Amino acid sequence: ALLDHLAGVEPAGAAEQAPSEPLSDRELAVLRFLPSNLSAAEIGSELFLSVHTVERHVANVYRKIGAHNRAQAAAYATRLEL
């Protein structure tokens, strides 16, 4: 399902879930952590990224998927089964 999603192949009714532009590999990696309650520093530690870089990836994810907060982004990640 994730590969279909990233390739732009979506089941009927799922178009509203498609990101405005593709997520980078690092943005996807950060998105996978958003349903956990890890802080940006903890996510950075897991992915060997600085806090600033994690925060930048999170902001990019929000923009691309149309999320306004972490809960919405986490719900998106859960729907994609990340």
Side-chain angles (χ1 to χ4, degrees):
L2 175 60
L3 292 178
D4 288 342
H5 175 77
L6 294 176
V9 178
E10 290 291 331
E16 70 276 4
Q17 296 179 18
S20 63
E21 57 187 279
L23 298 175
S24 71
D25 290 343
R26 280 305 207 181
E27 289 165 350
L28 278 170
V30 169
L31 179 58
R32 284 186 187 98
F33 280 97
L34 295 184
S36 73
N37 285 317
L38 295 179
S39 68
E42 292 167 324
I43 293 170
S45 179
E46 291 288 324
L47 297 175
F48 304 101
L49 300 171
S50 72
V51 172
H52 176 76
T53 300
V54 171
E55 290 170 347
R56 178 59 23 216
H57 286 320
V58 169
N60 289 340
V61 167
Y62 287 7
R63 178 179 50 81
K64 289 179 179 183
I65 68 172
H68 297 288
N69 55 47
R70 186 172 177 150
Q72 289 177 345
Y76 182 87
T78 300
R79 282 194 305 274
L80 292 181
E81 299 176 359
L82 295 180

